[in-house]
Amino acid sequence: MSALRFGADLSHVICSPTAAGAIKSYSPDLIVHPILNESSRLHVLIVGPGLGREAYMQSYAKLAISLARQRGMYLVLDADALLLVGHDPSIIKGYHRAVLTPNVVEFKRLSEQVGVDPAAPADERAILISNLLGGVTVLEKGPNDLIAVDTTGDAADLKKSQMEGADAEKEKTKETVEVDVEGGLKRCGGQGDVLSGSVGTFMAWGKCYEDGAFGDKSVPASRIPLLAAVGGSMVTREASKRAFAKMGRGLVTQDMIPELGGAFAEFFGSEARGGKL
């Protein structure tokens, strides 16, 4: 729903067959697939929110990620999808078109699993994870969000990223951005799902940009996930602040959804709110 409120044209939900009916009844705007269906029409795949840790769902998620990579789709991995990465980094290693969105606990676990030096400065660990995973963008959620990408390491791979024809030097990027936009004083349990949908929508627009639907293609594809993560973080934090101002301690994640349009306009202009980018 956050992707739709953000401005995505369509939102598909791929889920367990036992959950399909309940999810479909939530809103007529959702297109629900109780099986892993054909995905060639999608611009981005978000994996993790509501996934669960059952072996069969984790297996399907791994398959979905593999298919997305083969097709050069952008990916957002959150929540239980991060377990897959920790247990088998090859699932995402070298793929520049992905964003990981770990919270504090998930980030600590992921750092240990991929081999980040525990003595490394806290503000450098996100970019170290990115380097070790071959250029995956890392959005470290916290009091301020840190977004980092490093595609300059040996593990970075344009072929695995479906970027074989790209300029190798242009696709090299090493950057960390801190988002200090004020958020609400209560952080709801589902706020990360809102963030995933927001980042995913920006990445869908990035895919359209990469394909030539608009813009001049001056931004390399390897940098699109970083920009999407920064934009998604800013808007989600602003939406949280606006919702908390209205609801106070009674705030729930659903209260944030209607605030996304106004939060988007706060940073990107009211004219961008009314139509396609």
Side-chain angles (χ1 to χ4, degrees):
M1 288 303 298
S2 63
L4 291 171
R5 290 289 190 179
F6 208 86
D9 292 333
L10 295 172
S11 179
H12 297 256
V13 179
I14 303 169
C15 62
S16 166
T18 58
I23 294 174
K24 182 59 182 174
S25 67
Y26 179 73
S27 171
D29 297 297
L30 296 175
I31 302 171
V32 181
H33 304 275
I35 57 173
L36 181 60
N37 209 338
E38 189 270 331
S39 60
S40 61
R41 294 181 298 163
L42 305 181
H43 292 100
V44 62
L45 185 66
I46 301 169
V47 185
L51 176 64
R53 301 186 180 186
E54 293 86 352
Y56 79 100
M57 288 302 296
Q58 291 272 311
S59 177
Y60 281 134
K62 186 175 181 178
L63 174 61
I65 293 168
S66 176
L67 291 173
R69 289 189 59 168
Q70 291 173 26
R71 295 169 180 171
M73 291 171 59
Y74 286 96
L75 284 163
V76 182
L77 302 187
D78 184 34
D80 290 325
L82 297 173
L83 285 175
L84 287 171
V85 177
H87 292 150
D88 183 6
S90 67
I91 291 170
I92 204 67
K93 195 168 187 177
Y95 195 63
H96 297 187
R97 299 178 184 272
V99 175
L100 310 184
T101 60
N103 60 27
V104 173
V105 174
E106 293 163 342
F107 184 83
K108 181 178 183 297
R109 181 176 63 223
L110 186 61
S111 298
E112 296 168 349
Q113 289 171 324
V114 301
V116 171
D117 185 350
D123 60 353
E124 296 179 10
R125 292 175 188 172
I127 203 164
L128 289 173
I129 293 175
S130 177
N131 178 281
L132 290 167
L133 289 177
V136 172
T137 296
V138 179
L139 194 172
E140 179 188 356
K141 295 179 284 194
N144 291 342
D145 293 343
L146 280 181
I147 298 99
V149 62
D150 182 0
T151 64
T152 65
D154 294 337
D157 194 322
L158 290 181
K159 182 178 180 179
K160 289 181 178 179
S161 303
Q162 306 298 331
M163 299 178 184
E164 290 181 270
D167 184 328
E169 287 303 312
K170 189 176 180 182
E171 293 296 337
K172 288 184 179 179
T173 183
K174 185 176 182 179
E175 189 173 356
T176 299
V177 178
E178 181 177 2
V179 176
D180 60 358
V181 173
E182 182 183 358
L185 295 180
K186 178 182 178 183
R187 192 187 185 287
C188 303
Q191 184 168 321
D193 297 347
V194 176
L195 175 64
S196 295
S198 300
V199 173
T201 305
F202 266 122
M203 292 174 84
W205 292 333
K207 178 61 175 173
C208 293
Y209 172 87
E210 182 185 1
D211 290 345
F214 61 90
D216 57 7
K217 294 192 175 183
S218 60
V219 178
S222 294
R223 198 160 181 263
I224 287 174
L226 173 82
L227 299 176
V230 171
S233 171
M234 292 168 61
V235 173
T236 302
R237 294 172 73 95
E238 174 67 19
S240 173
K241 182 181 73 173
R242 289 171 175 238
F244 183 82
K246 294 179 179 179
M247 305 303 296
R249 67 173 64 197
L251 173 71
V252 295
T253 302
Q254 187 173 342
D255 298 322
M256 292 178 57
I257 305 296
E259 304 298 333
L260 288 169
F264 181 91
E266 177 75 19
F267 298 110
F268 301 102
S270 58
E271 65 279 1
R273 183 182 179 183
K276 294 180 181 292
L277 295 184

